[in-house]
Amino acid sequence: MMRNTQPEPWRVKVVEPIRRIDRSAREESLSRAGYNIFGIASEDIYIDLLSDSGTSAMSDAQWGGLMRGDESYAGGRNYYRFEETIRSIFGLPHVIPTHQGRVAENLLFSTVLKPGEIVPNNTHFDTTRANVEANGGVALDFVIPEGREPRTRHPFKGNMDLVRLEKCLAENRGRVPLVMLTLTNNSGGGQPVSLENVRGTSEVCRRHGVPLIIDACRFAENAWFIKQREKGQESRGVGEIVREVFSLADGCTMSAKKDGLANIGGFLALRNETWVERLKNKLILIEGFPTYGGLAGRDLEAIAIGLEEVLHEDYLAFRIGQVTAFGEALSAAGVPVVEPIGGHAVYVDARAFAPHLPPEQYPAEALTIALYLEGGIRAVEIGGVMFGKPDPARPGREILPDLDLVRLAVPRRVYTNTHLEYVAEVTARLRATPERLRGVRIVHQAPLLRHFTARFELL
Ligand SMILES: Cc1ncc(COP(=O)(O)O)c(C=O)c1O
């Protein structure tokens, strides 16, 4: 049983039917997809934990906001509300809307980064890394050592290693155009960054005259962890914590598909004007006029409302409580999970789950397949399929990552505790008989980002 002591701070007004097709239909659907869960139609999925991005349920206020969309080409009223909301939450005056987070990253790096320059981060999310590298930059990850160990407990495993950051800035004077800090650290298991660490990162950046830009995707979830776990922060409001965090930065990139509680959208917000004109000129080229930036007026309205709703503390208590209770239920059933449980997802250690499968047989892909076959559940592999690279020293073999994880990402306001209890039960059943999991062999792959389209054969 899941022990989420926080009840939902909403009641249900609209329902979207989901169905669990029977096992033989699931087998057929999976085999048609080449055993890759990305290839399965969402109608054939019962519980979809593929991503927390863009999958939120909007509130009645957000749906109402859609009707107030002003679709004028320039100067639409929803933009001004969007801008005002971002200014008041983050205290950043220059607001540039984009249609999702990676476009904010693309705009930023294609404008301020020169080939050969370095961008440090606690851990780059894959689109952030790709945008740095596509512009000729070098993306470096400086998360604290605890952040790399799945079972080490630390309240802020997303923290930046300030010693390594300091050393990097001192050794590369003039070659670091900005430092990024990702809240929460998605690629490191959704682990939070403490306020003290944001202060420290900001202080190192200021001393070296380098701007600090926050990846704000999960800014509210991060602030909730600060309130819960950081000494001296427990009696502050989440909004106040957010305001202090961003007062320490020079700007942020944001995907509103996470803590914007919207299905699409993003923005770039900056404290000073230096880069703004160049960014807006490029925005016009790739997204649209600066008062809509690739979004409809109605989307801007829904995001502005979502950014306010996400700071409601009863919402955050339920949200983080639900993900934590889900992770604890799995752990209590003997499922090896990354600890402590992060903000938006639970990560299962697939090598420990199915020790009979060697890394070369992609155990996390095997578990992902088994979850679908057993219960119609969609999760995602974050392991050898996603990160494996050909080994130049051993033809036909691969350099595999240290971990094979399965991420169970929890969409916001979408699934009830009962849904997640069902997922925990199915996973526990598989854990009781792990030898049922079959490894896979890749029979087709693309040269880049192969995990999206690879096809597999069961071993
Ligand atoms: C930390 C982080 N940064 C950036 C992005 C990119 O955002 P988007 O998918 O809206 O382009 C994501 C998306 O998952 C993310 O988790």
Side-chain angles (χ1 to χ4, degrees), residues 370-386:
L371 283 168
Y372 181 70
L373 278 180
E374 186 74 11
I377 298 157
R378 177 153 64 177
V380 68
E381 190 258 14
I382 301 189
V385 176
M386 193 179 270

Side-chain angles (χ1 to χ4, degrees), residues 301-352:
E301 188 72 14
I303 296 166
I305 298 167
L307 288 170
E308 283 165 355
E309 289 180 354
V310 81
L311 290 171
H312 293 181
E313 298 193 4
D314 53 357
Y315 159 75
L316 284 167
F318 172 76
R319 162 72 178 161
I320 302 297
Q322 187 186 43
V323 176
T324 307
F326 176 41
E328 284 169 352
L330 286 162
S331 182
V335 176
V337 296
V338 174
E339 292 188 83
I341 311 298
H344 66 287
V346 178
Y347 294 72
V348 179
D349 179 348
R351 286 190 198 169

Side-chain angles (χ1 to χ4, degrees), residues 100-102 105 125 127 182 186 215 217-218 255 257-258:
Q100 59 181 76
R102 69 197 68 186
E105 296 166 351
F125 179 66
T127 61
T182 307
N186 184 5
D215 178 333
C217 290
R218 298 176 180 83
S255 166
K257 297 169 74 174
K258 286 84 173 172

Side-chain angles (χ1 to χ4, degrees), residues 138 175 191 298 309 381 391 409 425 442 449:
V138 180
R175 289 185 57 218
Q191 300 292 333
R298 55 178 172 267
E309 289 180 354
E381 190 258 14
D391 185 347
E425 256 172 54
I442 299 179
L449 297 172

